[in-house]
Amino acid sequence: MTRLVDRGRSLEELERERWPTPSAGATRLITTAHALRRRPIGELTVEDMRLLIGQDVGLAFLLPLALEVLGDDPMAEGAMYEGDVLSAVLTRSPAVWKEWPELGRELAVIVSELTDLTPPLSQVTARFLAR
């Protein structure tokens, strides 16, 4: 599934929600997520998507983009490890896949063709497919 979304727009624009400026004592994760929400989604890196998806931020817009990446390279790597984007996507709440079943089906096709996964990725893949 490919959503037609203006990739020149930010999550703040697409979601029509502007988050308040993080407090001075905010963690690096919080300040990074806030900053990434202001960046056009077409400029987000694989690592940016991994981070935001892992925090359940902008899923309606980022999951389709992540599936495009995973369709080309299921083991795409952000800054953590090979397959970290796949792991971030697979470990979203089952409610996410109920809300967007077509994305879940697309992801199931991608992961059903994977072999030689690491044990942790194999486990999250099995949990996802068993949902």
Side-chain angles (χ1 to χ4, degrees), residues 57-79:
V57 174
L59 295 180
F61 302 100
L62 298 181
L63 285 175
L65 296 180
L67 289 177
E68 286 179 16
V69 169
L70 295 172
D72 291 337
D73 179 7
M75 298 306 290
E77 183 175 347

Side-chain angles (χ1 to χ4, degrees), residues 15-86:
E15 295 178 337
R16 296 184 176 132
E17 180 182 354
R18 190 170 306 279
W19 288 1
T21 302
S23 67
T27 65
R28 185 165 88 74
L29 176 61
I30 290 171
T31 57
T32 301
H34 276 72
L36 292 175
R37 281 185 41 81
R38 293 188 298 272
R39 185 178 300 164
I41 63 169
E43 294 178 13
L44 295 175
T45 66
V46 170
E47 171 59 13
D48 297 338
M49 285 190 284
R50 182 206 61 81
L51 184 143
L52 291 169
I53 290 169
Q55 298 301 310
D56 292 319
V57 174
L59 295 180
F61 302 100
L62 298 181
L63 285 175
L65 296 180
L67 289 177
E68 286 179 16
V69 169
L70 295 172
D72 291 337
D73 179 7
M75 298 306 290
E77 183 175 347
M80 305 284 288
Y81 54 88
E82 184 180 36
D84 59 2
V85 176
L86 178 61

Side-chain angles (χ1 to χ4, degrees), residues 70 73-75 86 90 107-117 121-122 125 129:
L70 295 172
D73 179 7
M75 298 306 290
L86 178 61
L90 287 170
L107 182 56
V109 168
I110 292 169
V111 298
S112 68
E113 299 171 359
L114 298 178
T115 58
D116 298 326
L117 294 173
L121 266 178
S122 184
T125 299
L129 291 173

